[in-house]
Amino acid sequence: MTYKALIIDDERRTRSLLHNMLSRMDLNLSIHQDGESVATGLEAIEKINPDIVLLDIQLPDGTGFDILERIGERDFQVIFITAHEEFAIRAIKNSALDYILKPVDKNELEKAVNRAIDHIQKSSNEVEKYDALIDNIKNNIRKLVLRTSESLYIVDIDSIMRCQSENNYTMFFLDDGRKIVTSGTMKNYEESLSYSNFMRCHRSHIINLNYVVRFDKNDGGSIVMKDDEQIPLSRKFRDKFFQLLDKLA
């Protein structure tokens, strides 16, 4: 099967570079570089019906996010190609979508394209991810996509009480009593949560300070959460914990 890849970027040099990189890969790709703006990108998507879109964020008449918001049926894989922008990267990562920073590294690009092809072969439905991305952009990154072996959950970040790691899995405990177990270490999620009222209090625990009920000093000290769970507080995180509590007061 041949996969149609569409490049949307306002820089002719970048489009040519990506085209050359993709053409040298041992992949069944039909490569198009018709898009250089939101308007021409939308036209190219309608005309080509791509399987994979390599999408720049900053475009002359808007952003790559505008394209995703305005497109009708989104049945293609997206790989964002962007210069480093903290807000955009967080939004993309929280939505479990792929991205590559400029200048583009050939190996990273090939890995991203292979992941996209793998998702296509598994008939993965990406609409939920795109919707979460748009919500994150509009609401200043308030949602997180959690993938389990059976489902894909979109959760409000503020509803997460705490996270706990166990081997190569991370358990998310939500304020409605749900527990969502995802594959991957807690380090994968720590950066996504770092901008809000979350902190790592132990090598195996991240807590949302908004759900802290009290701190018990017995046996070295533990944090009692709203769900009555006692979470250990490591010595190295004690000062930070109390400093953050003072800010919330």
Side-chain angles (χ1 to χ4, degrees):
M1 176 179 178
T2 299
Y3 301 99
K4 291 179 286 186
L6 170 63
I7 302 167
I8 301 176
D9 195 292
D10 64 331
E11 297 178 356
R12 181 189 300 272
R13 181 174 175 275
T14 300
R15 295 199 302 274
S16 297
L17 176 64
L18 290 171
H19 187 286
N20 291 337
M21 286 182 173
L22 292 171
S23 63
R24 294 193 183 102
M25 296 177 186
D26 188 19
L27 299 170
N28 295 322
L29 295 176
S30 171
I31 307 164
H32 306 264
Q33 47 179 329
D34 303 48
E36 56 185 31
S37 65
V38 172
T40 58
L42 288 167
E43 291 174 1
I45 289 172
E46 184 175 354
K47 174 184 175 182
I48 296 166
N49 189 25
D51 300 296
I52 303 169
V53 174
L54 291 90
L55 182 59
D56 190 15
I57 290 182
Q58 295 297 333
L59 297 169
D61 54 348
T63 70
F65 303 135
D66 295 328
I67 290 179
L68 294 184
E69 189 171 13
R70 290 166 57 181
I71 200 70
E73 185 176 350
R74 290 164 289 187
D75 56 354
F76 49 82
Q77 300 290 315
V78 174
I79 302 170
F80 286 97
I81 310 291
T82 180
H84 181 71
E85 296 179 14
E86 185 177 5
F87 175 80
I89 294 303
R90 278 182 174 168
I92 294 167
K93 289 178 69 174
N94 279 16
S95 307
L97 289 161
D98 219 339
Y99 72 96
I100 297 174
L101 294 176
K102 294 179 181 180
V104 177
D105 178 81
K106 178 180 179 298
N107 292 330
E108 288 186 14
L109 178 61
E110 188 166 7
K111 288 178 182 178
V113 173
N114 274 310
R115 282 194 295 268
I117 292 174
D118 185 54
H119 281 304
I120 294 169
Q121 292 173 343
K122 292 179 179 177
S123 300
S124 175
N125 187 349
E126 300 294 289
V127 173
E128 295 93 340
K129 292 184 181 181
Y130 301 145
D131 289 342
L133 174 65
I134 299 305
D135 282 343
N136 282 333
I137 296 300
K138 288 181 176 179
N139 300 310
N140 195 25
I141 315 178
R142 303 313 305 169
K143 295 184 183 293
L144 184 66
V145 173
L146 302 177
R147 184 195 297 276
T148 71
S149 58
E150 298 178 349
S151 303
L152 186 149
Y153 295 88
I154 301 173
V155 303
D156 291 327
I157 287 181
D158 290 337
S159 73
I160 300 171
M161 285 198 294
R162 57 190 180 87
C163 312
Q164 181 176 340
S165 66
E166 188 170 309
N167 297 322
N168 291 322
Y169 294 88
T170 301
M171 295 175 286
F172 286 80
F173 297 85
L174 307 186
D175 61 4
D176 60 4
R178 284 184 297 163
K179 180 174 77 171
I180 300 175
V181 181
T182 68
S183 59
T185 64
M186 200 161 63
K187 185 177 180 181
N188 297 341
Y189 302 100
E190 187 172 9
E191 184 179 349
S192 296
L193 298 173
S194 63
Y195 75 97
S196 195
N197 290 318
F198 291 84
M199 70 159 286
R200 182 185 284 270
C201 62
H202 183 272
R203 61 184 177 83
S204 300
H205 297 273
I206 292 177
I207 60 170
N208 185 337
L209 293 167
N210 288 329
Y211 292 96
V212 172
V213 174
R214 69 179 187 272
F215 176 74
D216 286 344
K217 299 179 181 180
N218 298 330
D219 300 323
S222 61
I223 303 165
V224 180
M225 304 297 293
K226 188 177 180 181
D227 59 356
D228 292 327
E229 286 294 323
Q230 295 191 2
I231 309 301
L233 177 62
S234 296
R235 185 185 301 273
K236 64 183 292 188
F237 297 114
R238 287 178 69 93
D239 289 344
K240 180 180 179 181
F241 172 72
F242 292 112
Q243 288 172 4
L244 290 175
L245 282 188
D246 287 340
K247 290 181 180 180
L248 288 177

